[in-house]
Amino acid sequence: MQRALLAFGALAGVVAVYFLAWPVPVDPVAWSPPADEGLTGAYSPNEILALARGIDLGGHTGPEDVAIDGDGALYASVLEGAIVRIRRRGNPVVFAETGGRPLGIDALPDGAFVVANAVLGLQRVETDGRVSVLVDRTGDVPLRYTNGVAAAASGRIYLTEASTKFGAAEYGGTLEASLLDILEHGGHGRLLEHDPATGVTRLLLDRLNFANGVAVSENQQYLLLAETGSYRILRYWIAGPRRGASEVLLDNLPGFPDNVDNGLNGRYWIGLVAPRNRLLDRYAGRPFLRKLMQRLPPALRPEPGRSSHVIAIDGDGQVLMNLQDPDARFPLLTGTLELPDRLILTTLDGPVLPWIDKNDLL
């Protein structure tokens, strides 16, 4: 009996040392999230997205973002590293190989595209599919997790670096790195501006908690930026008397905001890629317990919940549209490209590009 007790005590000691001292990559920071009000008010549940359908991607998966060219063809950034071209008639084809994980994509006036490659930085994709790198570092520091991108009429390109600490390549992928950054809440995200005419890239905002999607306003006066880890949308002024100022435009979202996409008639579309996590909110002010979470087996750690949810807002942050599917047939929705007749939905998961007819929204 005594030997059994000693063995149990030794085992308990090893377990205690593991949970108290085993090194993990996160060093969580205490913070106070706004109280989660759930799916109420402007975010009340509905089944509108249950009518969504999918465009087969020809064996590719995870169309995180999508852009459109002058002929109406779609260009989706997929998990396998390609940009896939999708026409209304015909099969999807690989338009370009980026050599990494393309996330945000936006069209340029000359017909080319800019791509936020999580692994390789900001890229330009020519009309013939040739790929070049525009920005892969700031100073002597490589970009570790390029995420969102938006091109302005001035020619300047705005991009986000989700995390300067948790790189997509070093930590096993974009999802894995994002979970670490959001758990830590250490303010490692940045908003950058690149001027292709001069080759200069400058910092606009830092200390962001997982900087994500970005969009340029129709009047070219400001940017809208998703700060995923803080459940909010920021506005950053790029012109006018408030140039260089920033503010919270929409706070206390019921999920993690991902892409911000320009819509029609002054709308901006935001994908809520996953609902908020009660454990993360409950222990936001207790960093030691969040560190213990990271020492749990992967199956027991907080993971993104399953939902299908996109919203549209105006430039003042008012919610104009709220589209959901409680069964989440197309989960992990990142954003929306609005066309005159349909909404193209983007996602981190699945072998199709979801879409919904706008007549189904009525």
Side-chain angles (χ1 to χ4, degrees), residues 117-307:
N117 190 313
V119 177
L120 299 175
L122 180 66
Q123 297 177 312
R124 175 183 167 97
V125 182
E126 306 294 344
T127 55
D128 61 2
R130 288 179 296 118
V131 179
S132 59
V133 175
L134 296 177
V135 183
D136 62 1
R137 62 187 60 242
T138 54
D140 295 327
V141 181
L143 297 178
R144 304 187 73 184
Y145 192 156
T146 319
N147 195 336
V149 65
S154 66
R156 291 184 174 88
I157 299 167
Y158 297 92
L159 62 148
T160 59
E161 186 175 18
S163 179
T164 58
K165 178 176 180 179
F166 299 105
E170 297 97 316
Y171 289 93
T174 55
L175 180 59
E176 293 79 3
S178 67
L179 294 177
L180 291 172
D181 192 88
I182 290 170
L183 178 66
E184 178 166 304
H185 202 84
H188 304 300
R190 304 192 297 171
L191 172 66
L192 304 169
E193 177 192 74
H194 175 69
D195 186 350
T198 63
V200 173
T201 303
R202 66 186 187 100
L203 175 68
L204 300 182
L205 280 179
D206 60 3
R207 302 297 301 166
L208 301 172
N209 286 292
F210 204 81
N212 209 322
V214 60
V216 184
S217 66
E218 188 175 4
N219 63 8
Q220 306 290 302
Q221 295 292 297
Y222 58 84
L223 309 174
L224 293 191
L225 166 70
E227 189 179 11
T228 303
S230 295
Y231 319 126
R232 64 188 186 181
I233 304 298
L234 307 179
R235 177 162 54 189
Y236 180 90
W237 295 87
I238 57 174
R242 301 194 61 194
R243 182 178 179 181
S246 64
E247 64 214 0
V248 177
L249 182 70
L250 181 59
D251 201 5
N252 200 16
L253 288 164
F256 293 94
D258 201 303
N259 293 343
V260 182
D261 299 299
N262 295 89
L264 303 180
N265 303 314
R267 286 188 286 267
Y268 302 91
W269 288 91
I270 299 161
L272 300 180
V273 69
R276 286 169 60 167
N277 185 287
R278 291 184 179 180
L279 280 179
L280 288 182
D281 281 355
R282 181 181 303 168
Y283 299 125
R286 306 178 73 177
F288 175 72
L289 292 180
R290 302 210 316 275
K291 198 163 191 174
L292 286 184
M293 287 181 189
Q294 191 57 34
R295 295 190 177 109
L296 293 171
L300 299 179
R301 298 174 195 163
E303 291 187 351
R306 186 179 176 90
S307 69

Side-chain angles (χ1 to χ4, degrees), residues 2-57:
Q2 186 175 8
R3 287 184 179 179
L5 290 175
L6 288 173
F8 178 79
L11 178 61
V14 169
V15 172
V17 168
Y18 170 80
F19 277 105
L20 294 174
W22 188 262
V24 292
V26 295
D27 189 14
V29 175
W31 71 293
S32 299
D36 183 7
E37 298 175 357
L39 298 178
T40 59
Y43 310 112
S44 294
N46 60 65
E47 300 180 359
I48 296 173
L49 289 185
L51 299 172
R53 288 158 272 185
I55 302 169
D56 184 79
L57 291 174

Side-chain angles (χ1 to χ4, degrees), residues 62-65 101 330-335 345-350 352 354:
E64 202 275 347
D65 198 9
R101 178 28 166 150
F330 299 113
L332 299 173
L333 295 181
T334 56
L345 306 169
T346 52
T347 174
L348 293 177
D349 188 37
V352 300

